Short mmCIF file of all heavy atoms in Angstrom, two decimals:
data_model
loop_
_atom_site.label_atom_id
_atom_site.label_comp_id
_atom_site.label_asym_id
_atom_site.label_seq_id
_atom_site.Cartn_x
_atom_site.Cartn_y
_atom_site.Cartn_z
N TYR A 108 77.03 78.01 108.57
CA TYR A 108 76.76 79.45 108.60
C TYR A 108 77.82 80.07 109.58
O TYR A 108 78.07 81.37 109.25
CB TYR A 108 75.27 79.78 109.14
CG TYR A 108 74.22 79.21 108.16
CD1 TYR A 108 73.57 78.07 108.50
CD2 TYR A 108 74.12 79.81 107.06
CE1 TYR A 108 72.63 77.49 107.52
CE2 TYR A 108 73.26 79.27 106.06
CZ TYR A 108 72.41 78.26 106.34
OH TYR A 108 71.42 77.78 105.54
N LEU A 109 78.32 79.50 110.43
CA LEU A 109 79.48 80.09 111.18
C LEU A 109 80.70 80.39 110.28
O LEU A 109 81.29 81.48 110.35
CB LEU A 109 79.90 79.07 112.30
CG LEU A 109 81.13 79.47 113.01
CD1 LEU A 109 80.95 80.80 114.01
CD2 LEU A 109 81.59 78.35 113.94
N LEU A 110 81.09 79.44 109.40
CA LEU A 110 82.15 79.64 108.53
C LEU A 110 81.88 80.73 107.53
O LEU A 110 82.78 81.39 107.07
CB LEU A 110 82.51 78.22 107.93
CG LEU A 110 83.12 77.22 108.80
CD1 LEU A 110 83.30 75.89 108.17
CD2 LEU A 110 84.47 77.73 109.32
N LEU A 111 80.63 80.74 107.09
CA LEU A 111 80.36 81.79 106.11
C LEU A 111 80.34 83.17 106.84
O LEU A 111 80.89 84.12 106.24
CB LEU A 111 78.87 81.65 105.51
CG LEU A 111 78.82 80.55 104.41
CD1 LEU A 111 77.17 80.31 104.12
CD2 LEU A 111 79.59 80.81 103.32
N ALA A 112 79.98 83.37 108.05
CA ALA A 112 80.08 84.51 108.74
C ALA A 112 81.52 84.92 109.10
O ALA A 112 81.85 86.10 108.87
CB ALA A 112 79.28 84.50 110.01
N VAL A 113 82.24 83.98 109.38
CA VAL A 113 83.74 84.20 109.56
C VAL A 113 84.47 84.60 108.31
O VAL A 113 85.25 85.44 108.27
CB VAL A 113 84.48 82.94 110.18
CG1 VAL A 113 85.89 83.06 110.19
CG2 VAL A 113 83.88 82.68 111.66
N LEU A 114 84.04 84.02 107.12
CA LEU A 114 84.47 84.39 105.87
C LEU A 114 84.18 85.90 105.57
O LEU A 114 85.01 86.60 105.04
CB LEU A 114 83.94 83.50 104.78
CG LEU A 114 84.57 83.63 103.41
CD1 LEU A 114 86.03 83.44 103.39
CD2 LEU A 114 83.79 82.83 102.48
N LEU A 115 82.99 86.30 105.90
CA LEU A 115 82.64 87.73 105.63
C LEU A 115 83.31 88.66 106.59
O LEU A 115 83.82 89.60 106.13
CB LEU A 115 81.05 87.88 105.81
CG LEU A 115 80.16 87.34 104.83
CD1 LEU A 115 78.65 87.42 105.13
CD2 LEU A 115 80.38 87.97 103.34
N ILE A 116 83.57 88.28 107.77
CA ILE A 116 84.40 89.11 108.72
C ILE A 116 85.80 89.17 108.16
O ILE A 116 86.45 90.28 108.23
CB ILE A 116 84.29 88.47 110.12
CG1 ILE A 116 82.85 88.69 110.66
CG2 ILE A 116 85.27 89.17 111.00
CD1 ILE A 116 82.59 87.96 112.01
N THR A 117 86.30 87.97 107.80
CA THR A 117 87.74 88.04 107.18
C THR A 117 87.86 88.91 106.00
O THR A 117 88.74 89.67 105.90
CB THR A 117 88.12 86.53 106.78
OG1 THR A 117 87.83 85.73 107.82
CG2 THR A 117 89.50 86.49 106.39
N ILE A 118 86.92 88.83 105.04
CA ILE A 118 86.95 89.69 103.85
C ILE A 118 86.82 91.17 104.25
O ILE A 118 87.73 92.02 103.75
CB ILE A 118 85.80 89.31 102.85
CG1 ILE A 118 86.03 87.90 102.29
CG2 ILE A 118 85.70 90.47 101.83
CD1 ILE A 118 84.81 87.45 101.50
N GLY A 119 85.98 91.41 105.14
CA GLY A 119 85.88 92.96 105.66
C GLY A 119 87.14 93.39 106.39
O GLY A 119 87.56 94.51 106.14
N MET A 120 87.73 92.63 107.15
CA MET A 120 88.90 93.06 107.93
C MET A 120 90.11 93.06 106.99
O MET A 120 91.01 93.83 107.19
CB MET A 120 89.25 92.01 109.15
CG MET A 120 88.23 92.11 110.18
SD MET A 120 87.71 93.80 110.69
CE MET A 120 89.15 94.29 111.53
N ALA A 121 90.21 92.22 105.94
CA ALA A 121 91.33 92.28 105.10
C ALA A 121 91.21 93.59 104.16
O ALA A 121 92.14 94.22 103.98
CB ALA A 121 91.32 91.09 104.09
N SER A 122 90.02 93.96 103.78
CA SER A 122 89.75 95.17 103.03
C SER A 122 90.05 96.44 103.90
O SER A 122 90.67 97.38 103.50
CB SER A 122 88.42 95.20 102.37
OG SER A 122 87.53 95.19 103.49
N TYR A 123 89.71 96.31 105.19
CA TYR A 123 90.01 97.43 106.20
C TYR A 123 91.55 97.52 106.32
O TYR A 123 92.15 98.67 106.34
CB TYR A 123 89.37 97.11 107.54
CG TYR A 123 89.68 98.14 108.60
CD1 TYR A 123 89.11 99.47 108.53
CD2 TYR A 123 90.53 97.79 109.59
CE1 TYR A 123 89.36 100.36 109.51
CE2 TYR A 123 90.83 98.80 110.54
CZ TYR A 123 90.15 100.04 110.51
OH TYR A 123 90.52 100.93 111.50
N ALA A 124 92.20 96.45 106.36
CA ALA A 124 93.66 96.50 106.60
C ALA A 124 94.29 97.00 105.32
O ALA A 124 95.20 97.93 105.42
CB ALA A 124 94.24 95.23 106.84
N MET A 125 93.83 96.70 104.12
CA MET A 125 94.33 97.29 102.88
C MET A 125 94.02 98.71 102.82
O MET A 125 94.96 99.54 102.27
CB MET A 125 93.77 96.63 101.73
CG MET A 125 94.35 95.16 101.47
SD MET A 125 93.84 94.30 100.05
CE MET A 125 92.33 93.37 100.63
N PHE A 126 92.89 99.17 103.29
CA PHE A 126 92.67 100.65 103.24
C PHE A 126 93.63 101.33 104.30
O PHE A 126 94.07 102.47 103.88
CB PHE A 126 91.22 100.89 103.79
CG PHE A 126 90.85 102.36 103.97
CD1 PHE A 126 90.69 103.20 103.02
CD2 PHE A 126 90.82 102.86 105.23
CE1 PHE A 126 90.36 104.48 103.10
CE2 PHE A 126 90.53 104.22 105.40
CZ PHE A 126 90.33 105.02 104.43
N GLN A 127 93.92 100.72 105.38
CA GLN A 127 94.76 101.42 106.39
C GLN A 127 96.22 101.52 105.75
O GLN A 127 96.96 102.36 105.98
CB GLN A 127 94.91 100.60 107.66
CG GLN A 127 93.59 100.80 108.50
CD GLN A 127 93.39 102.16 108.89
OE1 GLN A 127 94.31 102.94 109.06
NE2 GLN A 127 92.15 102.53 109.02
N ILE A 128 96.60 100.53 104.98
CA ILE A 128 97.96 100.56 104.24
C ILE A 128 97.94 101.71 103.24
O ILE A 128 98.97 102.52 103.33
CB ILE A 128 98.24 99.27 103.44
CG1 ILE A 128 98.43 98.10 104.42
CG2 ILE A 128 99.46 99.40 102.54
CD1 ILE A 128 98.49 96.70 103.78
N ALA A 129 96.95 101.92 102.48
CA ALA A 129 96.81 103.00 101.53
C ALA A 129 96.78 104.34 102.31
O ALA A 129 97.62 105.32 101.84
CB ALA A 129 95.64 102.92 100.69
N TYR A 130 96.04 104.47 103.27
CA TYR A 130 95.93 105.71 104.16
C TYR A 130 97.24 106.09 104.81
O TYR A 130 97.67 107.19 104.72
CB TYR A 130 94.87 105.52 105.27
CG TYR A 130 94.64 106.74 106.01
CD1 TYR A 130 93.86 107.85 105.51
CD2 TYR A 130 95.19 106.74 107.39
CE1 TYR A 130 93.74 108.97 106.21
CE2 TYR A 130 94.97 107.95 108.08
CZ TYR A 130 94.21 109.10 107.63
OH TYR A 130 94.04 110.22 108.32
N ALA A 131 97.99 105.06 105.32
CA ALA A 131 99.14 105.28 106.03
C ALA A 131 100.29 105.66 104.95
O ALA A 131 101.14 106.54 105.18
CB ALA A 131 99.70 104.26 106.73
N ALA A 132 100.18 105.06 103.74
CA ALA A 132 101.17 105.31 102.80
C ALA A 132 101.02 106.70 102.23
O ALA A 132 101.98 107.44 101.85
CB ALA A 132 101.12 104.37 101.61
N MET A 133 99.81 107.23 102.10
CA MET A 133 99.52 108.47 101.56
C MET A 133 99.93 109.59 102.64
O MET A 133 100.32 110.81 102.15
CB MET A 133 98.09 108.73 101.31
CG MET A 133 97.65 107.92 100.02
SD MET A 133 98.38 108.32 98.45
CE MET A 133 97.54 110.00 98.30
N ALA A 134 99.70 109.30 103.95
CA ALA A 134 99.99 110.27 104.90
C ALA A 134 101.45 110.39 105.25
O ALA A 134 101.98 111.51 105.77
CB ALA A 134 99.13 109.95 106.17
N GLY A 135 102.20 109.29 105.05
CA GLY A 135 103.64 109.38 105.48
C GLY A 135 104.60 109.88 104.45
O GLY A 135 104.22 110.10 103.27
N GLU A 136 105.84 109.87 104.80
CA GLU A 136 106.81 110.22 103.90
C GLU A 136 107.27 109.03 103.01
O GLU A 136 107.08 107.89 103.49
CB GLU A 136 108.11 110.67 104.57
CG GLU A 136 108.02 111.78 105.46
CD GLU A 136 109.21 112.25 106.20
OE1 GLU A 136 110.20 111.64 105.87
OE2 GLU A 136 109.09 113.04 107.17
N HIS A 137 107.61 109.30 101.74
CA HIS A 137 107.90 108.37 100.91
C HIS A 137 109.35 108.10 100.82
O HIS A 137 110.15 108.75 100.35
CB HIS A 137 107.43 108.74 99.49
CG HIS A 137 105.95 108.92 99.35
ND1 HIS A 137 105.06 107.91 99.37
CD2 HIS A 137 105.16 110.00 99.29
CE1 HIS A 137 103.84 108.31 99.38
NE2 HIS A 137 103.93 109.75 99.37
N GLY A 138 109.79 106.89 101.42
CA GLY A 138 111.21 106.53 101.51
C GLY A 138 111.35 105.19 100.81
O GLY A 138 110.49 104.65 100.08
N ALA A 139 112.54 104.60 101.00
CA ALA A 139 112.83 103.29 100.30
C ALA A 139 112.23 102.23 100.98
O ALA A 139 111.86 101.31 100.42
CB ALA A 139 114.44 103.22 100.30
N LEU A 140 111.99 102.24 102.31
CA LEU A 140 111.45 101.22 103.03
C LEU A 140 110.05 101.72 103.67
O LEU A 140 110.00 102.87 104.16
CB LEU A 140 112.34 100.67 104.18
CG LEU A 140 113.62 99.97 103.72
CD1 LEU A 140 114.43 99.69 104.86
CD2 LEU A 140 113.32 98.80 102.89
N PRO A 141 109.12 100.82 103.81
CA PRO A 141 107.84 101.21 104.48
C PRO A 141 107.99 101.31 105.90
O PRO A 141 108.83 100.82 106.47
CB PRO A 141 106.87 100.13 104.06
CG PRO A 141 107.70 98.94 103.72
CD PRO A 141 108.88 99.50 103.21
N SER A 142 107.18 102.17 106.57
CA SER A 142 107.26 102.27 108.01
C SER A 142 106.74 101.12 108.73
O SER A 142 106.19 100.13 108.18
CB SER A 142 106.45 103.53 108.40
OG SER A 142 105.13 103.41 108.14
N GLY A 143 107.03 101.02 110.03
CA GLY A 143 106.58 99.99 110.82
C GLY A 143 105.13 99.79 110.77
O GLY A 143 104.56 98.74 110.86
N GLU A 144 104.31 100.95 110.82
CA GLU A 144 103.04 100.80 110.76
C GLU A 144 102.42 100.10 109.43
O GLU A 144 101.60 99.31 109.54
CB GLU A 144 102.30 102.25 110.87
CG GLU A 144 100.85 102.30 110.91
CD GLU A 144 100.31 103.75 110.94
OE1 GLU A 144 101.00 104.61 110.85
OE2 GLU A 144 99.13 103.80 111.01
N ILE A 145 103.03 100.60 108.49
CA ILE A 145 102.57 99.90 107.10
C ILE A 145 102.81 98.38 107.11
O ILE A 145 102.12 97.60 106.61
CB ILE A 145 103.17 100.64 106.00
CG1 ILE A 145 102.64 102.11 105.92
CG2 ILE A 145 102.98 99.95 104.60
CD1 ILE A 145 103.28 102.94 104.84
N ILE A 146 104.01 98.00 107.58
CA ILE A 146 104.47 96.62 107.64
C ILE A 146 103.44 95.90 108.55
O ILE A 146 102.95 94.74 108.24
CB ILE A 146 105.98 96.50 108.16
CG1 ILE A 146 106.84 97.07 107.02
CG2 ILE A 146 106.21 95.05 108.52
CD1 ILE A 146 108.23 97.04 107.54
N ARG A 147 103.07 96.49 109.68
CA ARG A 147 102.10 95.84 110.59
C ARG A 147 100.79 95.52 109.77
O ARG A 147 100.21 94.42 109.89
CB ARG A 147 101.90 96.68 111.84
CG ARG A 147 100.99 96.08 112.85
CD ARG A 147 100.82 96.81 113.96
NE ARG A 147 100.32 98.16 113.62
CZ ARG A 147 99.43 98.86 114.35
NH1 ARG A 147 98.88 98.30 115.30
NH2 ARG A 147 98.81 99.90 113.92
N TRP A 148 100.25 96.61 109.09
CA TRP A 148 99.03 96.40 108.35
C TRP A 148 99.22 95.39 107.27
O TRP A 148 98.30 94.70 106.97
CB TRP A 148 98.56 97.74 107.79
CG TRP A 148 97.97 98.63 108.85
CD1 TRP A 148 98.51 99.85 109.33
CD2 TRP A 148 96.86 98.38 109.60
NE1 TRP A 148 97.72 100.34 110.30
CE2 TRP A 148 96.76 99.55 110.60
CE3 TRP A 148 95.87 97.32 109.60
CZ2 TRP A 148 95.61 99.63 111.41
CZ3 TRP A 148 94.86 97.55 110.54
CH2 TRP A 148 94.75 98.65 111.43
N MET A 149 100.43 95.37 106.67
CA MET A 149 100.65 94.28 105.57
C MET A 149 100.61 92.85 106.23
O MET A 149 100.07 91.87 105.50
CB MET A 149 101.99 94.58 104.85
CG MET A 149 102.00 95.83 104.01
SD MET A 149 103.57 96.32 103.53
CE MET A 149 103.92 95.04 102.36
#
């Protein structure tokens, strides 16, 4: 049950990080390279 709880937390945090990537990409300028914030979320 500990591993299942950790798995659920992992899925939630991965989806949160992917949402932050999309949010930062939509809010920022579109250049050739992603910003440092987007790379950190990746």
Side-chain angles (χ1 to χ4, degrees):
Y108 295 111
L109 171 71
L110 289 172
L111 287 174
V113 169
L114 185 62
L115 288 176
I116 292 170
T117 307
I118 291 170
M120 294 313 293
S122 62
Y123 177 73
M125 286 185 268
F126 172 77
Q127 289 296 330
I128 291 170
Y130 182 77
M133 291 293 289
E136 296 180 13
H137 300 287
L140 296 174
S142 68
E144 181 184 5
I145 294 174
I146 291 174
R147 182 179 60 138
W148 287 113
M149 290 169 71

